[in-house]
Amino acid sequence: MTSFPERDPGSSVVPLILNRWSPRAFVPTEIAQQELLGLLDAGRWAPSAYNGQPWRFVYARRGTAAWERFLSWLIPFNRSWAENASALVYVASRTVTDSARDGEPVPAPSHAFDAGAAAVLIQLQANQEGWSTHPVSGFDKELAHTGLELPEDHVVHAANVIGRRGDATLLPENLRAREVPSSRMPLNTLAFEGRFTNKV
């Protein structure tokens, strides 16, 4: 049974958020395209600066022709457990937006922030639908950018591993003890009123 981090006394954080975590043990099973698209649709509803919607999701499903290619860009450690998942979704964003004045591309300063918001909504939707997700940054970004055929004004940020969570015994012994939800730093080390205070 999974043990989730204890809620701080007085915390109002909803279980939808607290119950999301990033496992590595997945049961090899396929996901239908429409079901995966249903998860990605949640990301479509994220907020973004000027409603620019700069996020892009490029995916491969287990059992399809692109699966091994998408896995090949992961670092060996991540590939060792991600290969049992059901889908791999690379999250990218457009780094420019079209000017409202003349239609010419101008920098989009919040593109990464906006893409991150979209990625979180996908993770929460997946959790609600009985899927688990594990976002990773450990992959060759140049190879992924080329392999995904992204335009030059796009950047790839992360890969979101999606699958049905399995038992920790499916993992190598050195990873089994880590197959639990992570703790978080106390809020008073992260949130400051009025000005930033270095509490490290």
Side-chain angles (χ1 to χ4, degrees):
M1 183 173 180
T2 302
S3 176
F4 291 98
E6 289 188 14
R7 187 188 298 232
D8 294 333
S11 173
S12 59
V13 179
V14 296
L16 170 67
I17 295 171
L18 288 180
N19 293 344
R20 186 220 62 80
W21 64 291
S22 302
R24 292 188 179 91
F26 291 103
V27 177
T29 185
E30 294 183 3
I31 183 172
Q33 184 177 37
Q34 282 306 114
E35 189 163 11
L36 178 58
L37 289 175
L39 304 182
L40 300 184
D41 192 40
R44 190 166 63 96
W45 295 96
S48 61
Y50 301 102
N51 196 28
Q53 304 171 47
W55 47 75
R56 302 292 184 267
F57 315 123
V58 189
Y59 63 89
R61 294 178 298 122
R62 180 181 195 82
T64 64
W67 180 242
E68 287 297 323
R69 185 165 54 89
F70 273 50
L71 285 172
S72 72
W73 306 323
L74 299 177
I75 62 172
F77 173 76
N78 285 336
R79 176 168 182 157
S80 70
W81 54 266
E83 62 188 9
N84 289 324
S86 303
L88 195 52
V89 181
Y90 283 90
V91 179
S93 63
R94 188 177 183 225
T95 62
V96 297
T97 188
D98 298 327
S99 170
R101 187 184 43 150
D102 57 16
E104 291 299 312
V106 294
S110 66
H111 68 90
F113 181 88
D114 296 343
V120 169
L121 292 189
I122 293 169
Q123 294 169 52
L124 293 176
Q125 180 72 27
N127 189 59
Q128 285 291 99
E129 299 291 334
W131 295 92
S132 291
T133 61
H134 191 131
V136 298
S137 60
F139 61 92
D140 189 312
K141 291 178 177 55
E142 289 187 12
L143 285 179
H145 191 283
T146 300
L148 297 171
E149 300 183 29
L150 290 171
E152 286 302 312
D153 62 0
H154 286 57
V155 62
V156 59
H157 301 287
N160 207 357
V161 183
I162 301 175
R164 296 289 190 195
R165 187 164 64 88
D167 191 84
T169 56
L170 295 171
L171 294 170
E173 190 171 352
N174 64 318
L175 289 180
R176 293 175 189 172
R178 297 169 59 181
E179 192 65 359
V180 293
S182 302
S183 61
R184 292 294 185 270
M185 293 187 287
L187 185 59
N188 64 7
T189 68
L190 303 171
F192 313 95
E193 184 174 8
R195 64 178 181 178
F196 175 78
T197 304
N198 189 353
K199 294 189 176 183
V200 177

